[in-house]
């Protein structure tokens, strides 16, 4: 079932009386429960695409359809953007402020604290935890909201290589356990192939290729199949318009 459909979506920014075309005729259908990675060079329009889907930016033309119509969207950015005055658990519960059933809130937060291995840090403040934990907390906040779609814009980009590799692995485990629809933006080809069931290659504000990744998780970056898909993605990026 399609949870998100984009028809001929374009975006032009106005910059000092100049028109900057960020996206041109984007057509995309995402099925419920899919993990889609978007990869491309810096400036190819990845962030703009996510911001338009999130409703943070207006599209210039085209249609976007959600199913359900009032789809809930969770966001995770490169920086965790946590409230410094709230503990890890209260940052996660923040998305459920309006929820009257406090037992449900507690059970949900407990569930994701466990899934994200943050139980021992539930009372810690953002200044007391590592970058990886802060990003886990941001992911937990998005998951607690029980979104229909999670949008992630280079969420592991600011982490060191080891923390990043750990979180990549955990993210596929969380995806398999939580069955969420995830749209994940990265400029890292390996990361796109490690995580996505489907890779959308972008270039110059357009979708220039799409690949399915028929590999089970966890994926082995040294495998022949992985290498083949990685080569195809790289070739698509090099050939971009
Ligand atoms: N707020 C803005 N105003 C003007 N131009 C912008 C703005 N945001 C992005 N752009 C331009 O749109 C293009 C795509 O940017 P972006 O979506 O951030 O790419 P990516 O995330 O792939 O690096 C770039 O040419 C960028 O300079
Ligand atoms: Mg970006």
């Amino acid at each position: 079932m399609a949870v998100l459909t984009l028809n001929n979506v374009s975006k032009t920014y106005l910059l000092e009386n100049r028109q900057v075309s960020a996206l041109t005729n984007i057509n995309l259908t995402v099925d419920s429960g899919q993990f889609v990675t978007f990869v491309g060079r810096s400036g190819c329009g990845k962030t703009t695409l996510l911001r338009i889907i999130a409703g943070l930016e207006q599209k210039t033309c085209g249609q976007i359809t959600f199913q359900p119509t009032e789809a809930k969207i969770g966001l995770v950015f490169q920086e965790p953007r946590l409230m410094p005055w709230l503990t890890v658990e209260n940052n996660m519960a923040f998305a459920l402020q309006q929820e009257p059933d406090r037992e449900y809130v507690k059970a949900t937060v407990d569930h994701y604290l466990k899934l994200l291995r943050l139980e021992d840090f539930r009372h810690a403040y953002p200044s007391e935890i590592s970058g990886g934990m802060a990003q886990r907390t941001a992911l937990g906040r998005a998951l607690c909201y029980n979104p229909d779609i999670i949008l992630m814009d280079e969420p592991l980009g600011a982490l060191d290589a080891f923390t990043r590799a750990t979180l990549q692995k955990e993210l596929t485990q969380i995806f398999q356990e939580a069955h969420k629809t995830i749209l994940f933006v990265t400029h890292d080809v390996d990361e796109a192939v490690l995580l996505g069931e489907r890779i959308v290659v972008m270039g110059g504000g357009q979708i220039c290729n799409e690949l399915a990744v028929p590999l089970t998780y966890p994926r082995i970056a040294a495998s022949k199949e992985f290498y083949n898909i990685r080569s195809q993605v790289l070739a698509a990026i090099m050939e971009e318009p």
Side-chain angles (χ1 to χ4, degrees):
M1 188 193 74
V3 65
L4 169 69
T5 311
L6 276 75
N7 281 315
N8 289 322
V9 169
S10 296
K11 172 71 183 178
T12 309
Y13 288 108
L14 201 58
L15 196 63
E16 294 169 11
N17 292 328
R18 231 170 6 100
Q19 297 214 327
V20 180
S21 174
L23 295 173
T24 313
N25 290 334
I26 300 290
N27 289 295
L28 181 77
T29 302
V30 178
D31 284 335
S32 179
Q34 246 181 4
F35 196 151
V36 188
T37 49
F38 294 78
V39 65
R41 292 174 207 252
S42 182
C44 72
K46 305 181 296 297
T47 293
T48 302
L49 181 62
L50 280 204
R51 288 180 58 83
I52 287 178
I53 294 170
L56 298 172
E57 199 80 64
Q58 293 291 316
K59 56 185 164 31
T60 310
C61 58
Q63 285 94 39
I64 302 184
T65 320
F66 292 100
Q67 183 63 37
T69 321
E70 299 295 319
K72 284 162 71 178
I73 295 177
L75 293 164
V76 185
F77 303 95
Q78 186 166 346
E79 334 77 54
R81 302 192 187 185
L82 302 175
M83 317 277 176
W85 60 89
L86 294 180
T87 59
V88 163
E89 66 176 1
N90 287 335
N91 264 288
M92 282 171 56
F94 190 78
L96 297 171
Q97 274 183 106
Q98 311 291 335
E99 172 60 54
D101 183 350
R102 298 320 288 175
E103 278 304 307
Y104 166 78
V105 174
K106 186 176 178 324
T108 306
V109 171
D110 283 352
H111 174 75
Y112 287 116
L113 280 169
K114 192 164 176 220
L115 188 65
L116 293 156
R117 298 193 293 114
L118 286 167
E119 282 166 304
D120 293 345
F121 295 89
R122 62 192 305 152
H123 301 304
Y125 287 89
S127 61
E128 299 170 322
I129 58 176
S130 68
M133 285 179 205
Q135 216 37 334
R136 282 200 191 93
T137 307
L139 178 58
R141 179 178 54 190
L143 287 164
C144 281
Y145 180 55
N146 194 23
D148 298 291
I149 305 172
I150 303 182
L151 305 178
M152 304 180 120
D153 191 358
E154 314 228 11
L156 312 182
L159 304 174
D160 67 83
F162 305 105
T163 308
R164 186 173 189 162
T166 307
L167 266 165
Q168 284 168 343
K169 197 160 149 232
E170 285 177 10
L171 203 54
T172 58
Q173 285 164 353
I174 291 161
F175 167 67
Q176 287 175 296
E177 184 165 335
H179 305 294
K180 297 291 179 194
T181 308
I182 303 179
L183 274 62
F184 185 108
V185 157
T186 180
H187 61 254
D188 181 323
V189 174
D190 282 2
E191 185 164 87
V193 184
L194 270 173
L195 301 180
E197 295 178 301
R198 173 179 170 199
I199 304 175
V200 175
V201 183
M202 293 182 65
Q206 292 176 304
I207 292 177
C208 46
N209 207 345
E210 272 214 39
L211 292 95
V213 186
L215 306 176
T216 52
Y217 301 114
R219 294 178 178 159
I220 320 279
S223 75
K224 187 162 169 271
E225 294 83 4
F226 190 99
Y227 180 82
N228 284 341
I229 295 168
R230 184 179 183 278
S231 305
Q232 288 176 55
V233 174
L234 269 176
I237 293 173
M238 300 315 278
E239 283 167 14
E240 75 185 42

